[in-house]
């Protein structure tokens, strides 16, 4: 009898079956994330110690691009592949995704690309979890739950935020709708995966929130204004990343050449601009954003290096660079809005991520877990405004629209399909407008 047949009998069977499966997924994913984080620490330390490694970035990008071209075409879509499998379950995600994205991301950090880590952890989590689909002969609904649990476990273990990780796995799949049927395995997998990472000796960065202003009309208004700026930054980040990726694919047919060219541009820019602070994870700069004023252009520097890295094909995540962009943008806006820079850096930290990933609830919970409950109201407002202002854009183009933000679009359409639909709408309106003009 299949796994899900037992779960249908009653709620006790459901809880027991998913308890066991979520625990196994969490242990495996938490352990993989711990090894990944230790590897990133080594890669970052090695790059800082040996500055000349940046000149090998083009060749590293070419090598990773060639490996993906030769062995990883089926998993190259990364996070978007996971979302596609949740929406339209088909073939089980190949386990090769784990070593490919793991090694590819470590190489990106070792040689100086500006990428994050969330994408890698999420891909490893979903790929590991999906292997149980064949073993337990899961149906499509159970497989969706397994994939979301893997995503939650990966996100939670890499950032140390189990509540945000659990909700992220539910919220990121579809804009405006969460799959509550998976809330138990997602929550359990997120909590246990985080604890497994801590047991392995993982240490997460602490961001000190020293001053949170009292509630006032101006403070709330200032947070709304800042949220608009964070949403615009998120939109620019997502749109420019996709634009560079599209241009690369259009003009450079041979895939390994794309990260090679991107690597050349990044290496030369780092050398000429002395821009080491804009490559890698950038954790030290994020920490500084909570402690003292920074250069007002830091967010632009990180944005430029990250969109070039990701757009040209380097492997890694987007979220930590989004934290960097949000924290430094908040730091820059603070004196203009007469708010403490540490406070607005914290709001920006989560709000730009909320706008770019369309996950305002997960982002708000992350703020509470990282900075304390007192920031909750402000973080929620900043994240929701950024989510609305960012529009129908996302770092994950396979997200589907289930709830309209503002402008009317077809429900169920993916963000990747949206530009084509908009062009069709424009073309159908043109003859009507011409007819009106002639009359």
């Amino acid at each position: 009898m299949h796994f899900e047949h037992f779960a249908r009998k009653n709620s006790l069977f459901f809880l027991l079956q998913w308890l066991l499966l979520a625990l196994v997924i969490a242990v495996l994913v938490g352990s993989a994330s711990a090894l990944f984080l230790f590897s990133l620490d080594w890669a970052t330390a090695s790059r800082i110690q040996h500055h000349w490694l940046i000149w090998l970035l083009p060749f590293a990008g070419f090598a990773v691009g060639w490996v993906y071209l030769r062995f990883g075409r089926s998993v190259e879509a990364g996070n978007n592949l996971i979302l596609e499998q949740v929406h339209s379950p088909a073939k089980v995600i190949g386990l090769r995704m784990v070593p490919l994205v793991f090694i590819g991301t470590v190489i990106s950090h070792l040689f100086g690309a500006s990428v994050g880590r969330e994408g890698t952890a999420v891909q490893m989590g979903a790929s590991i979890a999906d292997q149980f689909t064949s073993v337990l002969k899961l149906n499509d609904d159970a497989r969706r739950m397994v994939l979301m649990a893997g995503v939650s476990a990966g996100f939670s273990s890499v950032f140390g935020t189990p509540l945000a990780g659990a909700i992220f796995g539910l919220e990121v799949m579809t804009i405006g709708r969460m799959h509550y049927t998976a809330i138990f395995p997602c929550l359990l997998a997120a909590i246990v995966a985080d604890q497994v990472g801590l047991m392995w000796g993982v240490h997460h960065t602490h961001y000190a929130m020293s001053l949170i202003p009292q509630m006032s009309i101006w403070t709330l208004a200032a947070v709304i204004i800042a949220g608009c700026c964070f949403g615009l930054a998120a939109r620019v980040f997502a749109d420019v990343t996709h634009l560079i990726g599209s241009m690369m694919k259009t003009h450079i047919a041979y895939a390994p050449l794309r990260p090679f060219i991107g690597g050349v541009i990044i290496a030369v820019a780092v050398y000429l601009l002395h821009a080491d602070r804009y490559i890698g994870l950038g954790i030290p700069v994020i920490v500084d954003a909570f402690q003292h004023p920074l250069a007002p252009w830091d967010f632009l520097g990180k944005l430029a290096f990250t969109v070039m890295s990701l757009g040209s094909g380097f492997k890694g995540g987007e979220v930590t660079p989004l934290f960097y962009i949000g924290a430094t943008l908040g730091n820059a806006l603070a004196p203009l809005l007469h708010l403490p820079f540490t406070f607005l850096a914290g709001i920006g930290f989560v709000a730009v991520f909320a706008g770019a990933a369309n996950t305002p609830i997960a982002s708000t919970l992350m703020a509470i877990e990282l900075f304390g409950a007192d920031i909750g109201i402000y973080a929620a407002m900043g994240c929701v405004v950024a989510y609305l202002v960012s529009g129908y854009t996302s770092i994950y183009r396979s997200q589907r629209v289930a709830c309209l933000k503002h402008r009317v679009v077809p429900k169920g359409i993916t963000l990747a399909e949206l530009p084509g639909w908009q062009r069709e709408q424009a073309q159908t309106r043109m003859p009507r407008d011409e007819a009106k003009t002639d009359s």
Side-chain angles (χ1 to χ4, degrees), residues 59 66 77 96 106 179 181-182 189 214 228 231 249 294 364 389 411 426:
F59 305 99
W66 183 87
R96 68 182 62 188
V106 172
H179 299 266
T181 52
Q214 292 184 343
C228 294
K249 291 177 181 178
L294 300 177
T364 299
V389 171
K411 291 186 178 181

PDB file of all heavy atoms in Angstrom, residues 59 66 77 96 106 179 181-182 189 214 228 231 249 294 364 389 411 426:
ATOM      1  N   PHE A  59      37.601  31.659 -15.659  1.00  0.00           N
ATOM      2  CA  PHE A  59      37.869  30.248 -15.951  1.00  0.00           C
ATOM      3  C   PHE A  59      37.042  29.332 -15.044  1.00  0.00           C
ATOM      4  O   PHE A  59      36.590  28.267 -15.470  1.00  0.00           O
ATOM      5  CB  PHE A  59      39.360  29.967 -15.792  1.00  0.00           C
ATOM      6  CG  PHE A  59      40.220  30.867 -16.630  1.00  0.00           C
ATOM      7  CD1 PHE A  59      40.830  31.982 -16.074  1.00  0.00           C
ATOM      8  CD2 PHE A  59      40.390  30.630 -17.983  1.00  0.00           C
ATOM      9  CE1 PHE A  59      41.606  32.831 -16.839  1.00  0.00           C
ATOM     10  CE2 PHE A  59      41.175  31.470 -18.764  1.00  0.00           C
ATOM     11  CZ  PHE A  59      41.779  32.571 -18.194  1.00  0.00           C
ATOM     12  N   TRP A  66      30.487  24.540 -18.206  1.00  0.00           N
ATOM     13  CA  TRP A  66      30.697  23.347 -19.031  1.00  0.00           C
ATOM     14  C   TRP A  66      30.155  22.109 -18.338  1.00  0.00           C
ATOM     15  O   TRP A  66      29.525  21.251 -18.966  1.00  0.00           O
ATOM     16  CB  TRP A  66      32.185  23.162 -19.320  1.00  0.00           C
ATOM     17  CG  TRP A  66      32.448  21.988 -20.224  1.00  0.00           C
ATOM     18  CD1 TRP A  66      32.446  21.984 -21.588  1.00  0.00           C
ATOM     19  CD2 TRP A  66      32.718  20.639 -19.812  1.00  0.00           C
ATOM     20  NE1 TRP A  66      32.699  20.718 -22.060  1.00  0.00           N
ATOM     21  CE2 TRP A  66      32.873  19.872 -20.988  1.00  0.00           C
ATOM     22  CE3 TRP A  66      32.848  20.018 -18.580  1.00  0.00           C
ATOM     23  CZ2 TRP A  66      33.150  18.505 -20.960  1.00  0.00           C
ATOM     24  CZ3 TRP A  66      33.112  18.652 -18.540  1.00  0.00           C
ATOM     25  CH2 TRP A  66      33.263  17.907 -19.710  1.00  0.00           C
ATOM     26  N   ALA A  77      17.656  24.667 -14.306  1.00  0.00           N
ATOM     27  CA  ALA A  77      16.665  25.697 -13.979  1.00  0.00           C
ATOM     28  C   ALA A  77      16.636  26.019 -12.493  1.00  0.00           C
ATOM     29  O   ALA A  77      16.086  27.048 -12.090  1.00  0.00           O
ATOM     30  CB  ALA A  77      15.279  25.263 -14.447  1.00  0.00           C
ATOM     31  N   ARG A  96      21.483  14.642  -8.831  1.00  0.00           N
ATOM     32  CA  ARG A  96      22.703  15.328  -9.277  1.00  0.00           C
ATOM     33  C   ARG A  96      22.634  16.834  -9.017  1.00  0.00           C
ATOM     34  O   ARG A  96      23.666  17.515  -9.006  1.00  0.00           O
ATOM     35  CB  ARG A  96      22.938  15.075 -10.763  1.00  0.00           C
ATOM     36  CG  ARG A  96      21.927  15.712 -11.699  1.00  0.00           C
ATOM     37  CD  ARG A  96      22.204  15.381 -13.146  1.00  0.00           C
ATOM     38  NE  ARG A  96      22.119  13.949 -13.390  1.00  0.00           N
ATOM     39  CZ  ARG A  96      22.478  13.379 -14.542  1.00  0.00           C
ATOM     40  NH1 ARG A  96      22.949  14.127 -15.535  1.00  0.00           N
ATOM     41  NH2 ARG A  96      22.357  12.086 -14.704  1.00  0.00           N
ATOM     42  N   VAL A 106      30.135  26.995  -4.220  1.00  0.00           N
ATOM     43  CA  VAL A 106      31.403  27.144  -3.501  1.00  0.00           C
ATOM     44  C   VAL A 106      32.465  27.732  -4.428  1.00  0.00           C
ATOM     45  O   VAL A 106      33.245  28.616  -4.031  1.00  0.00           O
ATOM     46  CB  VAL A 106      31.868  25.794  -2.918  1.00  0.00           C
ATOM     47  CG1 VAL A 106      33.275  25.908  -2.347  1.00  0.00           C
ATOM     48  CG2 VAL A 106      30.904  25.320  -1.838  1.00  0.00           C
ATOM     49  N   HIS A 179      -0.163  26.893   0.598  1.00  0.00           N
ATOM     50  CA  HIS A 179      -0.680  25.525   0.636  1.00  0.00           C
ATOM     51  C   HIS A 179      -0.661  25.041   2.086  1.00  0.00           C
ATOM     52  O   HIS A 179       0.299  24.419   2.541  1.00  0.00           O
ATOM     53  CB  HIS A 179       0.167  24.613  -0.255  1.00  0.00           C
ATOM     54  CG  HIS A 179       0.182  25.018  -1.687  1.00  0.00           C
ATOM     55  ND1 HIS A 179      -0.690  24.490  -2.625  1.00  0.00           N
ATOM     56  CD2 HIS A 179       0.939  25.915  -2.362  1.00  0.00           C
ATOM     57  CE1 HIS A 179      -0.457  25.033  -3.806  1.00  0.00           C
ATOM     58  NE2 HIS A 179       0.528  25.908  -3.671  1.00  0.00           N
ATOM     59  N   THR A 181      -2.038  22.648   3.520  1.00  0.00           N
ATOM     60  CA  THR A 181      -1.968  21.207   3.751  1.00  0.00           C
ATOM     61  C   THR A 181      -0.552  20.762   4.101  1.00  0.00           C
ATOM     62  O   THR A 181      -0.367  19.735   4.752  1.00  0.00           O
ATOM     63  CB  THR A 181      -2.435  20.443   2.503  1.00  0.00           C
ATOM     64  OG1 THR A 181      -1.722  20.914   1.352  1.00  0.00           O
ATOM     65  CG2 THR A 181      -3.932  20.613   2.283  1.00  0.00           C
ATOM     66  N   ALA A 182       0.435  21.546   3.684  1.00  0.00           N
ATOM     67  CA  ALA A 182       1.832  21.173   3.938  1.00  0.00           C
ATOM     68  C   ALA A 182       2.417  21.880   5.152  1.00  0.00           C
ATOM     69  O   ALA A 182       3.625  21.790   5.383  1.00  0.00           O
ATOM     70  CB  ALA A 182       2.679  21.489   2.701  1.00  0.00           C
ATOM     71  N   ALA A 189      10.020  20.199   9.507  1.00  0.00           N
ATOM     72  CA  ALA A 189      11.295  20.093   8.792  1.00  0.00           C
ATOM     73  C   ALA A 189      12.157  21.324   9.020  1.00  0.00           C
ATOM     74  O   ALA A 189      13.384  21.217   9.186  1.00  0.00           O
ATOM     75  CB  ALA A 189      11.037  19.900   7.293  1.00  0.00           C
ATOM     76  N   GLN A 214       9.522  54.652  18.967  1.00  0.00           N
ATOM     77  CA  GLN A 214       8.141  54.477  19.389  1.00  0.00           C
ATOM     78  C   GLN A 214       7.191  54.738  18.226  1.00  0.00           C
ATOM     79  O   GLN A 214       7.507  55.477  17.290  1.00  0.00           O
ATOM     80  CB  GLN A 214       7.816  55.425  20.549  1.00  0.00           C
ATOM     81  CG  GLN A 214       8.538  55.095  21.849  1.00  0.00           C
ATOM     82  CD  GLN A 214       8.109  56.011  22.983  1.00  0.00           C
ATOM     83  OE1 GLN A 214       7.527  57.061  22.762  1.00  0.00           O
ATOM     84  NE2 GLN A 214       8.402  55.591  24.210  1.00  0.00           N
ATOM     85  N   CYS A 228       8.452  51.758  -0.157  1.00  0.00           N
ATOM     86  CA  CYS A 228       8.363  52.014  -1.600  1.00  0.00           C
ATOM     87  C   CYS A 228       9.741  51.928  -2.247  1.00  0.00           C
ATOM     88  O   CYS A 228       9.900  51.346  -3.336  1.00  0.00           O
ATOM     89  CB  CYS A 228       7.745  53.380  -1.848  1.00  0.00           C
ATOM     90  SG  CYS A 228       6.014  53.540  -1.353  1.00  0.00           S
ATOM     91  N   GLY A 231      10.803  48.316  -2.387  1.00  0.00           N
ATOM     92  CA  GLY A 231      10.104  47.601  -3.443  1.00  0.00           C
ATOM     93  C   GLY A 231      10.660  47.918  -4.818  1.00  0.00           C
ATOM     94  O   GLY A 231      10.786  47.023  -5.673  1.00  0.00           O
ATOM     95  N   LYS A 249      21.809  34.833 -23.179  1.00  0.00           N
ATOM     96  CA  LYS A 249      21.350  33.668 -23.931  1.00  0.00           C
ATOM     97  C   LYS A 249      21.096  34.003 -25.399  1.00  0.00           C
ATOM     98  O   LYS A 249      21.296  33.165 -26.271  1.00  0.00           O
ATOM     99  CB  LYS A 249      20.071  33.120 -23.284  1.00  0.00           C
ATOM    100  CG  LYS A 249      20.311  32.492 -21.920  1.00  0.00           C
ATOM    101  CD  LYS A 249      19.009  32.036 -21.288  1.00  0.00           C
ATOM    102  CE  LYS A 249      19.262  31.442 -19.909  1.00  0.00           C
ATOM    103  NZ  LYS A 249      17.996  31.027 -19.239  1.00  0.00           N
ATOM    104  N   LEU A 294      27.073  54.116   6.352  1.00  0.00           N
ATOM    105  CA  LEU A 294      27.924  53.630   5.274  1.00  0.00           C
ATOM    106  C   LEU A 294      27.812  54.556   4.073  1.00  0.00           C
ATOM    107  O   LEU A 294      27.002  55.486   4.044  1.00  0.00           O
ATOM    108  CB  LEU A 294      27.507  52.207   4.868  1.00  0.00           C
ATOM    109  CG  LEU A 294      27.572  51.127   5.944  1.00  0.00           C
ATOM    110  CD1 LEU A 294      27.060  49.805   5.377  1.00  0.00           C
ATOM    111  CD2 LEU A 294      28.988  50.968   6.474  1.00  0.00           C
ATOM    112  N   THR A 364       8.516  39.003   7.199  1.00  0.00           N
ATOM    113  CA  THR A 364       8.164  39.618   8.486  1.00  0.00           C
ATOM    114  C   THR A 364       8.567  38.706   9.644  1.00  0.00           C
ATOM    115  O   THR A 364       9.132  39.168  10.652  1.00  0.00           O
ATOM    116  CB  THR A 364       6.655  39.889   8.544  1.00  0.00           C
ATOM    117  OG1 THR A 364       6.293  40.796   7.485  1.00  0.00           O
ATOM    118  CG2 THR A 364       6.273  40.510   9.880  1.00  0.00           C
ATOM    119  N   VAL A 389       4.755  47.273  -4.208  1.00  0.00           N
ATOM    120  CA  VAL A 389       5.446  48.175  -5.139  1.00  0.00           C
ATOM    121  C   VAL A 389       6.286  47.397  -6.154  1.00  0.00           C
ATOM    122  O   VAL A 389       6.458  47.847  -7.294  1.00  0.00           O
ATOM    123  CB  VAL A 389       6.320  49.179  -4.356  1.00  0.00           C
ATOM    124  CG1 VAL A 389       7.215  49.977  -5.289  1.00  0.00           C
ATOM    125  CG2 VAL A 389       5.438  50.123  -3.547  1.00  0.00           C
ATOM    126  N   LYS A 411      -5.250  34.979 -13.569  1.00  0.00           N
ATOM    127  CA  LYS A 411      -4.867  34.172 -12.421  1.00  0.00           C
ATOM    128  C   LYS A 411      -4.347  32.821 -12.907  1.00  0.00           C
ATOM    129  O   LYS A 411      -4.890  32.226 -13.828  1.00  0.00           O
ATOM    130  CB  LYS A 411      -6.052  33.980 -11.476  1.00  0.00           C
ATOM    131  CG  LYS A 411      -6.457  35.260 -10.757  1.00  0.00           C
ATOM    132  CD  LYS A 411      -7.529  34.992  -9.723  1.00  0.00           C
ATOM    133  CE  LYS A 411      -7.900  36.272  -8.979  1.00  0.00           C
ATOM    134  NZ  LYS A 411      -8.939  36.038  -7.943  1.00  0.00           N
ATOM    135  N   ALA A 426      -1.441  44.328 -25.681  1.00  0.00           N
ATOM    136  CA  ALA A 426      -1.103  45.589 -26.353  1.00  0.00           C
ATOM    137  C   ALA A 426      -1.440  45.530 -27.837  1.00  0.00           C
ATOM    138  O   ALA A 426      -1.934  46.501 -28.421  1.00  0.00           O
ATOM    139  CB  ALA A 426       0.372  45.912 -26.155  1.00  0.00           C
TER     140      ALA A 426
END
